[in-house]
Amino acid sequence: MRSLLSYKSRLFFGSLLVMLLPLAIMEPIKGFSQGRAAFITSIILAGIAHLLNTKSLSVFSNFPGRKSAVIALPHTFFWFFGMWMAAKFFNLPYTVWFLFMAGCLSLFLCIAYIYYRNKFITTYAYLPYGRAINADQLPNVNWIKLTSPDLPVATNINGIVADLHEPELDHHWQKFLASQTLAGMPVYNIRQVEEFLTGRVKIHHLYENDLGSLLPSPTYVLIKRLADILLILLSCPITLPVMLVTAIAIKLESPGSVLFRQNRVGRGGHEFCIYKFRSMCSDSEKNGAQMAQLGDSRVTRIGHIIRKTRIDELPQFWNILKGDMSLIGPRPEQKIFVDRFIQEIPFYDYRHIVKPGISGWAQVTQGYAADTEQTQIKIEHDFYYIKHFSFSLDILIFFKTLKTMLTGFGAR
């Protein structure tokens, strides 16, 4: 209840500050020279933008990983730019300096919230039985091991974690968990906590997975398809010149085709031809298909740049328009690797239930997978994405992709 009240109070007082402080600053300077209607509209737009900004940040906090304060910048820009576009589109009177100051205030409040949240580390007590025996190895949590059905005195514990299906939990432990639940202490199943802290869903047996619950929403699939097409068309004035310059640079550096074509496995296990800017020498697969390695000698000088910034993926916009791919989803693999991984990794082909994407949850959290062990982890990230298939997660991946493009995380 305290966190709920904290969120509501943060929303209320933050909205008042974002709406009224710019007015208090601008009114003595310009008065209502731009018209009372412009100020009223700007106040409403700023309030809506901040509400959406705060709400979406709160939703993002439910996804795994510690959130960097840097994410607040594109996040705030997204909502305030959207309100500005709405005012332009509907020809509403507004004050651009008011929206700018309100946006800066909203950004400051969001950064302060993320910084405040990251200062505190959650403390969980765990019962060392079954799958929870190594719970203390999970990240971003302070763990306390319970050897008897009692909580340590004078310790602030935020929850208790146990393998609730473990037969070794005798009636003493069960009575302890029941009494703690009645006292208001949250009790979590280890699988739930593993998923939240790692951003991965592990599937080893059919009974561990509610396959039906992982089916993506048909409504959001349609919305996502329409959004993909719209975003690609809107980005053309920026991406087309970048693609032209990239094509010329590749042609000048090394002989061979500008584009690299390769069959990949998409939704439903169907193969399609993927397009990328060629970042390797033209005979890179003369010895057969192989995964890229760190410092791969086959990568050209231009290739290093476009792979690090993900510019080499831009031709896949054509794959998206054709319906083979989406902007966000699990990365498509070659058939030869898919056939191998299906034999080695349980439920590998289940990742093909959604369209593959240019960027995905595994790419922005794990990076490149170069062997079967790393691919197993990547698949668990893909399962997490499918289970939480939503607009909020796609937006989070989009912002993380921007960070990945700037840092080159995961490039080979």
Side-chain angles (χ1 to χ4, degrees):
M1 178 62 70
R2 285 178 298 177
S3 61
L4 181 62
L5 292 175
S6 175
Y7 169 71
K8 286 184 176 180
S9 61
R10 181 162 50 89
L11 199 63
F12 177 74
F13 291 110
S15 297
L16 284 181
L17 186 64
V18 166
M19 290 189 293
L20 299 182
L21 186 57
L23 181 65
I25 295 174
M26 291 188 65
E27 201 279 331
I29 299 174
K30 294 188 175 183
F32 289 100
S33 60
Q34 293 181 279
R36 186 182 298 271
F39 275 95
I40 294 175
T41 303
S42 300
I43 290 172
I44 295 173
L45 292 176
I48 294 173
H50 180 71
L51 285 172
L52 293 172
N53 199 13
T54 306
K55 175 63 178 176
S56 53
L57 268 180
S58 178
V59 172
F60 284 0
S61 67
N62 294 326
F63 292 115
R66 292 174 67 81
K67 306 301 182 293
S68 169
V70 176
I71 200 174
L73 180 59
H75 207 259
T76 306
F77 175 81
F78 177 83
W79 292 116
F80 277 85
F81 180 77
M83 290 299 107
W84 176 74
M85 289 292 291
K88 298 285 285 185
F89 181 80
F90 291 105
N91 198 28
L92 299 174
Y94 68 94
T95 303
V96 67
W97 282 108
F98 188 104
L99 291 178
F100 175 77
M101 284 191 288
C104 291
L105 275 171
S106 183
L107 175 63
F108 171 78
L109 292 174
C110 289
I111 291 176
Y113 165 69
I114 295 173
Y115 178 76
Y116 174 82
R117 182 183 177 89
N118 288 343
K119 282 184 64 177
F120 296 93
I121 299 178
T122 303
T123 298
Y124 286 154
Y126 74 100
L127 281 58
Y129 300 99
R131 289 182 58 166
I133 192 170
N134 295 318
D136 57 341
Q137 297 181 9
L138 294 173
N140 301 326
V141 169
N142 180 35
W143 292 98
I144 297 176
K145 182 178 179 179
L146 298 182
T147 56
S148 62
D150 298 290
L151 287 181
V153 181
T155 303
N156 185 22
I157 295 176
N158 304 109
I160 300 173
V161 178
D163 183 351
L164 300 180
H165 302 291
E166 173 56 41
E168 285 191 52
L169 296 182
D170 57 25
H171 70 282
H172 296 292
W173 282 114
Q174 293 175 16
K175 183 178 179 181
F176 165 74
L177 293 176
S179 63
Q180 291 299 321
T181 302
L182 291 174
M185 175 67 71
V187 175
Y188 303 107
N189 190 357
I190 182 62
R191 288 183 63 232
Q192 178 186 2
V193 174
E194 281 179 336
E195 181 178 320
F196 175 74
L197 294 178
T198 64
R200 294 153 54 185
V201 174
K202 296 182 179 180
I203 302 176
H204 297 291
H205 305 283
L206 277 172
Y207 67 81
E208 292 181 347
N209 175 36
D210 299 324
L211 289 173
S213 69
L214 294 187
L215 288 173
S217 165
T219 302
Y220 183 59
V221 169
L222 176 60
I223 294 173
K224 186 177 169 71
R225 172 67 176 151
L226 296 175
D228 284 341
I229 295 173
L230 180 62
L231 289 173
I232 288 176
L233 294 179
L234 291 176
S235 69
C236 281
I238 299 174
T239 56
L240 289 179
V242 172
M243 293 170 73
L244 178 61
V245 171
T246 303
I248 294 173
I250 293 172
K251 198 67 178 177
L252 291 176
E253 182 186 18
S254 61
S257 174
V258 168
L259 291 178
F260 174 74
R261 301 173 181 84
Q262 191 177 68
N263 282 353
R264 298 287 179 94
V265 178
R267 185 179 183 183
H270 301 298
E271 285 190 77
F272 68 97
C273 180
I274 197 173
Y275 301 93
K276 299 177 67 174
F277 280 123
R278 180 172 58 83
S279 59
M280 294 185 176
C281 53
S282 56
D283 60 347
S284 60
E285 295 196 336
K286 62 182 179 181
N287 297 321
Q290 52 185 302
M291 290 185 170
Q293 303 296 321
L294 191 62
D296 201 315
S297 61
R298 297 174 298 163
V299 180
T300 63
R301 287 176 297 175
I302 295 297
H304 279 294
I305 298 173
I306 63 176
R307 288 170 76 93
K308 190 171 185 178
T309 56
R310 302 306 196 269
I311 291 175
D312 63 323
E313 312 282 3
L314 288 179
Q316 289 164 46
F317 280 7
W318 176 243
N319 289 114
I320 295 173
L321 294 176
K322 286 172 59 183
D324 297 325
M325 296 179 62
S326 177
L327 285 171
I328 295 173
R331 284 296 296 163
E333 296 284 3
Q334 297 182 58
K335 186 69 163 59
I336 186 173
F337 295 131
V338 169
D339 291 340
R340 191 181 88 195
F341 293 144
I342 286 176
Q343 301 300 320
E344 299 175 349
I345 301 175
F347 302 98
Y348 175 88
D349 51 350
Y350 187 71
R351 73 195 295 267
H352 299 136
I353 199 169
V354 297
K355 286 182 181 180
I358 293 180
S359 182
W361 182 244
Q363 279 64 45
V364 298
T365 55
Q366 177 191 4
Y368 192 86
D371 53 37
T372 302
E373 183 179 351
Q374 292 177 356
T375 301
Q376 168 73 59
I377 297 174
K378 182 177 79 170
I379 297 309
E380 292 168 1
H381 283 113
D382 289 338
F383 287 163
Y384 181 91
Y385 173 76
I386 295 169
K387 184 174 182 179
H388 298 274
F389 188 70
S390 63
F391 175 75
S392 300
L393 184 54
D394 279 345
I395 291 293
L396 178 59
I397 293 171
F398 172 75
F399 287 145
K400 282 181 170 287
T401 300
L402 295 179
K403 179 182 177 182
T404 298
M405 292 172 66
L406 295 174
T407 63
F409 172 74
R412 293 291 175 100

